Amino acid sequence: MKQKLGLVMEGGAMRGLFTAGVLDVFLDEGITVDGAIGVSAGATFGCNFLTKQKGRALRYCLRYVNDPRFCSVPSLLLTGDMFGAEFCYHTIPEQLDPIDNDAFHQGGVPFYIACTDVRTGRAVYHQCRDLLDREELEWVRACASMPLASRIVHAGQYDMLDGGISDSIPLKYFEYKGYQRSIVILTQPADYRKEPNSMMPLVRRVYRNYPNLIRAMERRHVIYNKQLDHVREAGENGSAFVIRPPQKLPVSHITHDPEKLRAVYRIGRETALSVLPALREYLAALQFE
């Protein structure tokens, strides 16, 4: 009996275009999964795989990267969000570069996102059932709302920020959900280890009313590095197929340079093509387990 295959997508802001490049190769090659979960940019870019909209993530990033409504300091100062909430999460997907919600429903692949509850500091997981519903889009915005660069987002019964604070690589959650095997897409190279957050003094001041969030951010590097260890072990024992960039990606969290965005996307495509034979072997073996 074929085992359930999950897709786990790490975030990383504009590093997420690496994931977009990988997933566009998957679309070219007809690679499918039984369920997907994304964190931050892993969700905002990764959903295009489930709608089968090849190239969409790169297209709208290139088109609007220098639009102050998309990502800018003026947007942060005027609205509290570096990435414009209304423009990025409603105007683009609803009007300017529409997301194919019909294809998402027809595909029928369960899509989960991870957010962080600012009151508990713990991860909150949510299954997105509609990519154009305004409330659902607020969940997606919450999962990608970076601390210090975004307002706290209210959706459902929660007040939330970026899922990467509490669960950057939700492989264990998907294992718990019954996905015995997973493709894990990371946006950092194999030798990467996260260091303590140098912005913690500011974090403590800004979020002084959310002590559990502060504690989560203080420990984020510890938890993240443990997750890297779990991913490595999963890759070694065959429960995960791990795809990651061969070296540090030539982009920061935020960039306004279109050529750097193209480069990150291209590295994603090249990396996916380089591991494609091994990935096909991995997927073929699932049919006989």
Side-chain angles (χ1 to χ4, degrees), residues 31 241 275-289:
I31 292 172
F241 187 95
V275 303
L276 192 58
L279 176 58
R280 289 204 178 281
E281 285 187 19
Y282 181 81
L283 297 177
L286 300 185
Q287 304 293 329
F288 303 101
E289 293 187 354

Side-chain angles (χ1 to χ4, degrees), residues 165-167 216 219-228:
I165 299 168
S166 54
D167 195 352
R219 287 182 46 78
R220 186 186 175 197
H221 65 289
V222 176
I223 302 303
Y224 181 87
N225 291 334
K226 286 182 178 179
Q227 289 184 318
L228 287 180

Side-chain angles (χ1 to χ4, degrees), residues 67-284:
D67 188 318
R69 297 171 297 173
F70 182 72
C71 176
S72 67
V73 173
S75 176
L76 177 62
L77 295 176
L78 290 172
T79 70
D81 292 300
M82 180 76 77
F83 286 88
E86 186 66 25
F87 188 73
C88 293
Y89 295 97
H90 297 289
T91 304
I92 290 177
E94 293 170 3
Q95 302 172 27
L96 299 179
D97 200 329
I99 199 158
D100 193 339
N101 206 31
D102 290 339
F104 174 70
H105 288 300
Q106 291 165 8
V109 176
F111 176 46
Y112 298 85
I113 60 174
C115 306
T116 299
D117 183 337
V118 299
R119 301 190 183 281
T120 66
R122 295 177 180 175
V124 178
Y125 306 97
H126 176 73
Q127 183 177 354
C128 291
R129 301 181 186 277
D130 191 306
L131 295 180
L132 284 179
D133 177 81
R134 196 166 185 88
E135 175 77 3
E136 292 284 78
L137 287 171
E138 287 298 281
W139 276 94
V140 176
R141 180 165 77 91
C143 93
S145 290
M146 296 183 293
L148 303 180
S150 310
R151 291 172 292 168
I152 293 171
V153 180
H154 182 81
Q157 60 182 324
Y158 301 101
D159 294 316
M160 299 176 290
L161 283 173
D162 197 305
I165 299 168
S166 54
D167 195 352
S168 296
I169 312 169
L171 176 59
K172 283 191 175 181
Y173 176 74
F174 243 31
E175 291 170 343
Y176 166 78
K177 293 288 289 183
Y179 293 88
Q180 303 98 324
R181 298 288 186 269
S182 288
I183 300 170
V184 180
I185 305 178
L186 304 180
T187 59
Q188 296 283 12
D191 61 353
Y192 177 77
R193 304 294 286 185
K194 187 174 286 296
E195 299 294 330
N197 189 343
S198 62
M199 299 293 287
M200 282 310 302
L202 180 58
V203 166
R204 292 186 186 100
R205 288 199 297 271
V206 172
Y207 299 112
R208 58 189 176 275
N209 294 326
Y210 302 98
N212 291 322
L213 177 66
I214 292 172
R215 280 192 284 272
M217 294 185 69
E218 288 173 335
R219 287 182 46 78
R220 186 186 175 197
H221 65 289
V222 176
I223 302 303
Y224 181 87
N225 291 334
K226 286 182 178 179
Q227 289 184 318
L228 287 180
D229 293 339
H230 179 66
V231 169
R232 175 182 52 78
E233 292 168 2
E236 291 173 353
N237 66 33
S239 60
F241 187 95
V242 185
I243 301 175
R244 60 191 354 142
Q247 65 275 324
K248 183 178 179 180
L249 293 170
V251 69
S252 60
H253 273 77
I254 297 170
T255 183
H256 296 283
D257 185 341
E259 290 309 310
K260 288 184 178 180
L261 301 182
R262 288 190 181 94
V264 172
Y265 174 82
R266 182 173 63 250
I267 293 169
R269 287 193 60 89
E270 292 170 350
T271 301
L273 289 170
S274 71
V275 303
L276 192 58
L279 176 58
R280 289 204 178 281
E281 285 187 19
Y282 181 81
L283 297 177

Side-chain angles (χ1 to χ4, degrees), residues 25-46:
V25 170
F26 285 10
L27 289 174
D28 287 340
E29 299 294 330
I31 292 172
T32 60
V33 298
D34 300 307
I37 186 167
V39 180
S40 196
T44 56
F45 293 156

